[in-house]
Amino acid sequence: MKYLSTRAAATDSTERKRFCEILLEGLAPDGGLYLPESYPQVNDATLLKWRTVYHEQGYAELAFEVLSLYIDDIPAADLRALCEKTYTAAVFGTGEIVPLRHLENALYLEALSNGPTLAFKDMAMQLLGNLFEYELARRGEELNILGATSGDTGSAAEYAMRGKKGVRVFMTSPYGRMSPFQQAQMFSLMDENIHNIAVDGVFDDCQDMVKAVSNDLDFKRKYKIGTVNSINWARLMAQVVYYFAGYFQATQANTEKVSFAVPSGNFGNVCAGHVARMMGLPIDKLIVATNENDVLDEFFRTGVYRVRGSADTHETSSPSMDISKASNFERFVFDLLGRDGERVKALFGETLAKDGRFDLGNDPAFKQAATRYGFESGKSTHADRLATIKDTFERFGVMIDTHTADGVKVAREHLQAGGPMIVLETALPIKFAATIVEALGREPDRPVRFDGIEVLPKRVTRMAADAEAVKAYIVQHCP
Ligand SMILES: *Cc1c(COP(=O)(O)O)cnc(C)c1O
């Protein structure tokens, strides 16, 4: 299996790479995102086999089966061991790893948030931590991960990389802007290789600092700076597995179809659903649920992809979906446009950079987003979120977080007669307590292992929004 850039010309096969070559890389050198040359096809016999694998041998073995189709430069025994080390009941709280819960009629909730940081990002990041450690050891190299977070990504990365050999994490976050629980999760980590940097500024300032450091190519090379952001192919690939696991739990036979509703921001989660569907998993609809930051809903309704400025990016009560552009979206557009890399390059590298938007509304391909690829979309607001959290709790006794509530709200608008509709639960309510209190008039449930986390000692360095200061800090903390 080789990987190509979404901006590569179809005739150019020189830049194609293997999995371990792109594992530690971010963007492709031409600014595009990596995708497999073709999607491995899963036929009925394989699907039948995997159904049994998941039910009888478990999630880790299913992950091994799926990943084997995408990774041919790690020996099978090693890859299996990495999957087994990652997807354990001890790390993810349950033997099923991603248990399915029935709400009513065709509506289900797939739990993806029982990992160490209580958000679905653990599903991929925990594997990434083990893959990084493995590959760095094999190469005899080290990596300094520099990132920016407004909450979920940073903590998932830190919990995945803590104590890992060869890896250090330098995570910037906007000072005082994360929820108290999220701050406590990150800042209470005492591991030597984890560095929390609280920046006087907003999330965009953090991101700008990371960009500035990464653009200093000499520094980047000398200090082996890397990232773990959601454009990393390995993260996306890891997420493909739980679409299969959800399908096997919701159906009895491979003749049945299911739909997924996915709370979306950077389009990473639902893009994994697209990949699963392209592999042949019987998915009917992929429903993209956005919050007030409706870049994606606008595209799927109109064909216009319009990047927002910082002034019209809303701060919402589902903050992990507060995006101005959807970093992974280019991957889907590449498929939608018949894998025409030159056209993708023109759209994302030129038109978008110049005009801040492009319009596929009149392109015949646009209709296929719905007809051929199964995409639908919808939007949810603060009021919808509160109502959905309240309704779900009152009628089913199930407490959902604000992001999942956006998914449930939009899923309800797209319930067709027929197959199951699985909403992906992307975080637990304890991470966003203030909005739960607003909706329910009570504090959210707290898993016992997080009792008293807010009063633990904190390990964090406060810093001005200055890329030079971050560089100096990294230099100081690399032996
Ligand atoms: C990251 C995140 C999302 C958005 O996922 P994307 O892959 O960026 O679309 C939704 N909900 C929660 C809780 C998240 O942490």
Side-chain angles (χ1 to χ4, degrees), residues 234-346:
R235 277 183 65 180
L236 215 132
M237 177 193 66
Q239 293 170 177
V240 171
V241 181
Y242 55 69
Y243 283 87
F244 281 89
Y247 176 77
F248 294 139
Q249 292 179 84
T251 61
Q252 302 292 324
N254 299 343
T255 46
E256 297 173 58
K257 283 192 167 190
V258 303
S259 295
F260 287 91
V262 187
S264 292
N266 275 317
F267 204 75
N269 199 351
V270 74
C271 195
H274 166 67
V275 172
R277 196 174 184 278
M278 296 299 281
M279 291 170 74
L281 183 66
I283 296 176
D284 187 13
K285 302 281 185 257
L286 286 167
I287 293 146
V288 178
T290 74
N291 66 15
E292 290 87 338
N293 297 291
D294 57 353
V295 182
L296 290 167
D297 182 42
E298 181 176 18
F299 175 80
F300 286 107
R301 276 185 298 104
T302 66
V304 173
Y305 182 65
R306 181 171 59 90
V307 167
R308 311 295 199 249
S310 49
D312 49 9
T313 303
H314 307 275
E315 263 188 52
T316 76
S317 46
S318 45
S320 299
M321 290 153 60
D322 291 351
I323 47 101
S324 54
K325 64 180 177 69
S327 324
N328 274 290
F329 186 55
E330 183 169 331
R331 288 195 161 106
F332 171 65
V333 173
F334 182 64
D335 284 341
L336 183 67
L337 299 179
R339 300 204 137 202
D340 182 343
E342 277 157 298
R343 199 162 163 217
V344 169
K345 187 176 184 171

Side-chain angles (χ1 to χ4, degrees), residues 79 110 114-115 120 188 318 462 466:
L79 184 60
E110 183 174 356
N114 296 312
F120 88 98
S188 64
S318 45
R462 195 168 162 184
D466 172 9

